[in-house]
Amino acid sequence: MDRGTSMTTPLAAIILAAGKGTRMKSDRHKVLHPIAGRPMLMHLLASVGELAPARQVVVVGSGRDQLEAALGGAAELAVQEPQLGTGHAVQQAEGPLAGFEGDVLILYGDVPLVSAETMRRMIERLRAPDAPAVVVLAFEPEDTLRYGRVIAEGDRIVKMVEHKDATEEERAVRLCNSGLMAARAGDLFALLARVGNNNAAGEYYLVDIVNIASADGRPCAVVTTDPYEVAGVNCRAELASLEGEWQARRRAQAMADGVTLIAPETVWFAHDTVLGRDVTIEPNVFFGPGARVADRVTIRANCHIEGAVIGAGCEIGPFARLRPGTVLGEKAKIGNFVETKKAVLGAGAKANHLTYLGDAEVGAGANIGAGTITCNYDGYFKYKTVIGERAFVGSNSALVAPVAIGADAIVGAGSTVTKDVGEGELRLVRPEQSAKPGWATRFHEAMARKKRGA
């Protein structure tokens, strides 16, 4: 099989997402709850996407409108109503896949972290010379009590059995069914047509296709994986648990790649966080989606970084917030209690204290004093502030956009700048100071007499 981004035989993916998700107790569809800043369904589709599928079908029930909006046309939808079991759910994709002749992966929207490599191994096994009718993805959990067993000899399945129906000998088998499968389209729907619902729940179970194929004398095979990859989410606690495991693995990967995490358990990454070498991250740092960090960056404690590009050698924080659209040039510095949004800072530019830079362009080597803000919003529209190279903006200044500060200009502390400042110009916007000697002393004496009732 081609191990690149495409496969020689067409591939389709059926993703089951018709469950009501009642245990989540949420108005949001279960598969749209995020892990590492990305909805579970999108994690799964990203992995499937590495195999370049020809078709993708998401089987939906309640919450269809939410899924339709989230998918944005990335997959076809098939509706399962009513919900009559996993086999019945897969059957709903038969219409959308009419005429498709290729391999089919059956996945679950609430089992989001199956890797593309594991999916490839399933398809490889399906295409092996013995041509199994069905390939089942199995795993060995710590606790087997709630899972169906896969009874196998080597990688050939002898029998699939639910725990409640298993003998003591079968229950001793640790290999469990994840529910994920691969089959050729023709085999899949032909087998599903023979699945009955003669069981206590009156449902059509997907797993029955394995036993039907075996009874026909056709081989079925098993591929195994880490329990982490097939962990499902049914409630908020399981969502948090899987998030925690994802984060732990991402932290370990970051450190293996040359990142120093002072307190690893306190750093939280997004699914797409990119970190360079020799980056140091202090405790309690949170990365939202879209953060890219170059080499030799120091991120001090208690920072929130999302949608920002940080150049080599920068220093961030502590207590800084970098919002989407922030771009920092080499060796720029963002200090404590500084917030940026759609702000581009040139190489060596600094905003060290208590500053807001929104919709701003700051030239290389410029210095933004403590308490400075760009006034970028008038209640209706956003406006841009441009600060030239090597400009110096004094503390507690308000730059009322749209406004430009020229290169090498100086804005005096406490200024409210509403008009452009020329290159090399000094701009002071302050009222004249006046002094009244002795006034304060006389005021204090008068107030003291009044308080005494004199």
Side-chain angles (χ1 to χ4, degrees), residues 38-367:
R38 173 193 263 173
M40 289 191 286
L41 179 61
M42 301 312 168
H43 276 280
L44 196 58
L45 288 175
S47 295
V48 173
E50 293 185 38
L51 279 61
R55 307 286 290 277
Q56 298 183 113
V57 180
V58 177
V59 180
V60 303
S62 59
R64 175 182 177 177
D65 291 347
Q66 291 186 33
L67 289 179
E68 202 165 34
L71 288 166
E76 298 175 75
L77 295 180
V79 179
Q80 184 193 20
E81 187 59 49
Q83 280 87 56
L84 299 177
T86 51
H88 179 254
V90 175
Q91 280 184 312
Q92 308 315 302
E94 187 171 7
L97 292 181
F100 176 79
E101 296 180 1
D103 302 325
V104 179
L105 277 169
I106 301 168
L107 307 167
Y108 292 78
D110 58 2
V111 181
L113 300 183
V114 186
S115 69
E117 180 55 33
T118 294
M119 296 179 194
R120 284 192 181 98
R121 290 193 294 114
M122 294 172 69
I123 298 300
E124 283 180 341
R125 186 64 187 89
L126 185 67
R127 296 176 182 171
D130 62 340
V134 182
V135 172
V136 173
L137 185 62
F139 66 111
E140 294 188 11
E142 290 184 13
D143 181 358
T144 62
L145 288 179
R146 62 192 176 114
Y147 298 104
R149 302 301 201 279
V150 180
I151 312 302
E153 294 177 358
D155 72 347
R156 296 281 291 270
I157 297 174
V158 175
K159 181 182 180 183
M160 302 277 286
V161 60
E162 292 301 318
H163 176 82
K164 65 180 182 297
D165 300 323
T167 65
E168 286 302 316
E169 183 179 5
E170 289 168 340
R171 289 181 181 184
V173 173
R174 297 197 56 79
L175 195 61
C176 293
N177 175 27
S178 72
L180 281 70
M181 297 184 185
R184 284 167 288 278
D187 287 337
L188 174 62
F189 294 113
L191 289 167
L192 280 170
R194 297 166 61 190
V195 172
N197 65 341
N198 186 22
N199 53 63
E203 294 187 348
Y204 299 86
Y205 294 130
L206 178 62
V207 70
D208 286 350
I209 67 174
V210 176
N211 291 330
I212 291 171
S214 296
D216 289 346
R218 301 188 61 190
C220 294
V222 63
V223 169
T224 59
T225 191
D226 187 316
Y228 165 75
E229 284 202 31
V230 291
V233 173
N234 294 297
C235 62
R236 308 260 185 171
E238 290 176 352
L239 181 70
S241 178
L242 196 53
E243 173 84 42
E245 180 64 19
W246 189 97
Q247 293 291 342
R249 289 172 180 241
R250 182 64 182 88
R251 294 169 193 138
Q253 185 61 54
M255 290 185 285
D257 291 341
V259 174
T260 295
L261 304 179
I262 303 299
E265 68 281 2
T266 70
V267 177
W268 291 78
F269 294 111
H271 65 96
D272 60 352
T273 305
V274 176
L275 301 172
R277 294 182 63 179
D278 293 316
V279 171
T280 298
I281 302 176
E282 293 185 356
N284 300 313
V285 172
F286 182 91
F287 291 94
R292 301 178 63 88
V293 181
D295 297 344
R296 303 181 306 283
V297 170
T298 297
I299 302 175
R300 302 204 177 279
N302 301 296
C303 291
H304 189 290
I305 298 168
E306 180 174 358
V309 177
I310 301 174
C314 289
E315 184 175 332
I316 312 298
F319 294 98
R321 184 182 181 194
L322 274 56
R323 292 168 55 193
T326 296
V327 179
L328 304 183
E330 185 175 359
K331 294 185 179 180
K333 184 175 180 182
I334 298 294
N336 52 288
F337 301 104
V338 173
E339 179 180 356
T340 62
K341 189 274 296 185
K342 289 181 67 175
V344 178
L345 276 69
K350 299 177 181 179
N352 282 329
H353 321 280
L354 305 163
T355 290
Y356 172 68
L357 297 173
D359 299 283
E361 183 180 314
V362 180
N367 187 92

